[in-house]
Amino acid sequence: MGTADAGGGELADLAELVAALDGVSGDRVRDAVAAFRAPIRVQTAGRAGVGRSTVAAALTANGIAGAVVEEADAVDVPGAPDPTLDGDVVVYVLVESVRDADRDAVRTLDPAQALFVLNKSDTLGASRAAADAWATATARAAECSDEGGLPTLPLIGTLAGTSPESGIDAVSAAVTDRVARTRARRGETLLNALRSQAARSPASRDALERYLAGDHAVALAAAAARLHLDDCAAEAPEPPRSAADAARCADWWRAQLARQPTARRRRAVVDVRRHYVRIWQQLSGSPGT
């Protein structure tokens, strides 16, 4: 879905151009661009002693592009209010099982933007053999998912900085996917704001419409469209490495158009296909149409 600050310079230039043409519209475009480009907050949460800091450090060390990792205060502390879990992505850390306090804390979270991490997975089960311990941890993670309503991944947090067998790669991949989805939703909000300003501001309309017709806006629209096409995206071809690959991707998405049951999904398919056509033009050296 693209890097966090892709097109950042172009957007900054657009905001300044619009401001020179229409001050009110310029302020609104600046605000929309700032909201889009703000770092995405990944929040680690959970009860005291589960390893919130360890998981936060492991995610930070792995590097989640365009995101900042924050640690929330502990949940279920006697005499203290529970923290507000308001991160763009919430990584809720468990040990052993889902407790009532955990279930209450995550009740309102969207599974598409949150997950459980079952930390200290090496302490589960009777056997300390690596294969046995990991099999037990994987089974317990599935139980936690059923009990708490969020996808769950096992982790040996103390090994996260030293071993691929810790589970941190899978956790980081899940977080990265949720960060990308957040960025895509922000892109959709940005494009809607720019379209709104183009309609309201005759003075800056041409500048805004030039950006909206450009490659960066087309890429943002495609990323946002994929949010509405998870089933198609799961079966779609791999990202293109050549003009021929891009042409095949465009053809594949064109074939999906007639299969979509709603106008919204058809518009989303058109947005994704348009992006691959642009990629084909760039890789083949063909002029834009």
Side-chain angles (χ1 to χ4, degrees):
M1 292 185 180
T3 59
D5 201 31
E10 185 177 354
L11 283 170
D13 291 345
L14 174 66
E16 294 309 308
L17 175 58
V18 172
L21 297 168
D22 180 336
V24 173
S25 188
D27 288 342
R28 291 171 178 164
V29 170
R30 282 196 188 105
D31 289 346
V33 170
F36 169 72
R37 296 183 66 189
I40 292 171
R41 295 172 55 235
V42 175
Q43 189 178 41
T44 62
R47 290 174 289 107
V50 297
R52 303 185 322 279
S53 298
T54 300
V55 173
L59 289 172
T60 300
N62 257 33
I64 308 295
V68 293
V69 182
E70 305 172 354
E71 180 185 346
D73 291 337
V75 168
D76 196 31
V77 175
D82 281 345
T84 300
L85 303 187
D86 59 357
D88 296 298
V89 178
V90 176
V91 180
Y92 193 96
V93 186
L94 305 170
V95 171
E96 294 184 350
S97 63
V98 181
R99 308 280 181 86
D100 287 342
D102 302 322
R103 196 176 289 105
D104 290 342
V106 305
R107 195 179 303 280
T108 63
L109 298 183
D110 180 358
Q113 293 304 121
L115 70 153
F116 284 142
V117 168
L118 182 60
N119 195 24
K120 307 182 183 181
S121 290
D122 52 324
T123 64
L124 300 173
S127 173
R128 289 295 172 263
D132 293 340
W134 197 251
T136 299
T138 301
R140 184 67 61 82
E143 293 172 358
C144 290
S145 183
D146 290 340
E147 294 168 2
L150 293 180
T152 308
L153 293 172
L155 179 71
I156 304 174
T158 55
L159 296 181
T162 60
S163 173
E165 296 177 359
S166 67
I168 189 58
D169 288 344
V171 172
S172 293
V175 172
T176 296
D177 177 71
R178 285 161 173 78
V179 166
R181 294 178 72 88
T182 299
R183 183 63 67 186
R185 282 197 301 275
R186 288 188 184 183
E188 188 170 38
T189 299
L190 171 66
L191 294 177
N192 288 337
L194 298 182
R195 293 182 187 117
S196 176
Q197 291 309 306
R200 292 180 179 183
S201 172
S204 61
R205 183 172 299 151
D206 287 348
L208 288 165
E209 289 184 347
R210 277 194 300 273
Y211 169 78
L212 289 167
D215 290 343
H216 183 241
V218 168
L220 289 181
R226 288 176 180 272
L227 296 173
H228 308 294
L229 297 167
D230 279 341
D231 53 340
C232 290
E235 301 173 358
E238 292 293 316
R241 297 184 178 181
S242 67
D245 289 344
R248 280 192 290 272
C249 287
D251 287 344
W252 188 90
W253 281 99
R254 179 175 57 187
Q256 307 310 305
L257 189 59
R259 303 174 186 173
Q260 304 310 311
T262 66
R264 182 181 190 184
R265 286 177 62 95
R266 288 191 288 274
R267 287 194 300 270
V269 168
V270 169
D271 284 341
V272 176
R273 180 179 182 273
R274 182 182 295 118
H275 179 47
Y276 284 119
V277 171
R278 291 293 179 92
I279 294 175
W280 172 80
Q281 291 170 346
Q282 294 163 8
L283 293 176
S284 66
S286 298
T289 56

